[in-house]
Amino acid sequence: MDGVLVHEGRLIPGADAFVSRLREVGKPFLVLTNNSIYTPRDLQFRLRTSGIDLPVESIWTSALATATFLDDQRPQGSAYVVGEAGLTTALHEIGYVLTDNSPDYVVLGETRTYSFEAVTTAIRLIAAGARFVATNPDATGPSKDGVLPATGAVAALISRATGVSPYFVGKPNPLMMRAALNRVQAHSETTVMVGDRMDTDIVAGLEAGMRTILVLTGIMQADEIDRFPYRPFRVVPSIADLVDEI
């Protein structure tokens, strides 16, 4: 989503035409984001205000992927959540109980209001035996004022205090990609991952068996690609360059 369809809340030219073309020909697709703050309905609204109209079912977040993972591992379980509505709603919808009383998991997600009290509770619960899961490993996130500490940075703090490393569900874990493939009943051999980051999007798509396309409308520059030990299948300036190929 970010860096491919929108950038800092603004439409990337041609992104609306790309999504419209997908819908016009009936090709299944999902818009992915590692951000777990917002619910799919929130993101649908944010995209619509940017000029991109798509059904809520076409949005796949690290919060939804985390909920799917937990439902598969321990159905009807319990969790202490450090995160926002996108994560808590996803866990409620799979029947999880959110509690600080001996939960099965501590689940860490993105938030703009990390509190010392909440982090301390998470540390104590993990030390007492709760399993540690995080939505994504991103250490920082963007804002109009500069970078912000993100899930990965807070996870490192908790890990240092407990000696327990989290299981990260979101990109670059290919698990998020495989869950997305299952959601649209697609096969990796006939699916393409379009992303703007080599270290999350491209490697996750590669490890999930998909062809990958890197766009240069996000944070990655063309001269940075060669420093990675893997390459995307294609590199294009923008998603607008792909519209006529659908």
Side-chain angles (χ1 to χ4, degrees):
M1 178 174 162
D2 296 312
V4 178
L5 300 180
V6 293
H7 184 68
E8 296 182 355
R10 293 190 298 271
L11 175 73
I12 291 174
D16 52 346
F18 181 83
V19 172
S20 294
R21 181 64 177 157
L22 287 173
R23 299 187 69 184
E24 179 184 328
V25 301
K27 196 171 291 294
F29 70 95
L30 286 178
V31 173
L32 274 64
T33 177
N34 254 2
N35 192 320
S36 64
I37 291 179
Y38 304 106
T39 67
R41 195 166 300 280
D42 295 332
L43 292 172
Q44 179 193 41
F45 177 78
R46 291 164 69 91
L47 285 170
R48 185 178 295 146
T49 59
S50 299
I52 298 174
D53 186 27
L54 75 171
V56 69
E57 294 80 16
S58 294
I59 298 174
W60 186 243
T61 71
S62 64
L64 294 175
T66 299
T68 299
F69 168 75
L70 294 179
D71 191 39
D72 179 64
Q73 293 292 307
R74 193 173 293 268
Q76 304 296 308
S78 60
Y80 177 74
V81 175
V82 181
E84 301 286 348
L87 183 55
T88 57
T89 299
L91 293 182
H92 275 305
E93 289 179 348
I94 62 166
Y96 255 56
V97 173
L98 306 188
T99 180
D100 61 359
N101 183 16
S102 300
D104 297 316
Y105 296 94
V106 166
V107 183
L108 175 66
E110 207 76 53
T111 176
R112 295 292 181 259
T113 56
Y114 289 113
S115 75
F116 183 81
E117 181 181 358
V119 171
T120 299
T121 299
I123 289 169
R124 290 173 178 170
L125 291 171
I126 292 169
R131 302 156 188 87
F132 188 16
V133 170
T135 56
N136 64 285
D138 299 23
T140 61
S143 80
K144 61 183 180 62
D145 298 317
V147 298
L148 297 170
T151 307
V154 180
L157 184 158
I158 295 173
S159 292
R160 184 65 182 268
T162 60
V164 177
S165 298
Y167 181 72
F168 291 109
V169 176
K171 301 177 295 183
N173 189 342
L175 180 72
M176 183 173 177
M177 300 298 155
R178 296 191 182 281
L181 288 167
N182 290 337
R183 188 176 177 90
V184 293
Q185 298 181 320
H187 194 282
S188 60
E189 291 183 357
T190 55
T191 304
V192 173
M193 170 68 189
V194 183
D196 74 309
R197 294 186 59 137
M198 290 288 292
D199 57 345
T200 56
D201 304 325
I202 300 306
V203 69
L206 179 71
E207 291 182 357
M210 293 184 276
R211 287 191 174 183
T212 58
I213 298 177
L214 179 74
V215 295
L216 300 177
T217 47
I219 68 167
M220 190 63 56
Q221 302 300 313
D223 59 1
E224 298 177 300
I225 297 172
D226 283 340
R227 63 188 175 92
F228 291 87
Y230 48 87
R231 293 186 60 83
F233 178 72
R234 284 182 64 187
V235 179
V236 295
S238 166
I239 200 167
D241 296 283
L242 302 173
V243 175
D244 292 339
E245 298 184 29
I246 300 174

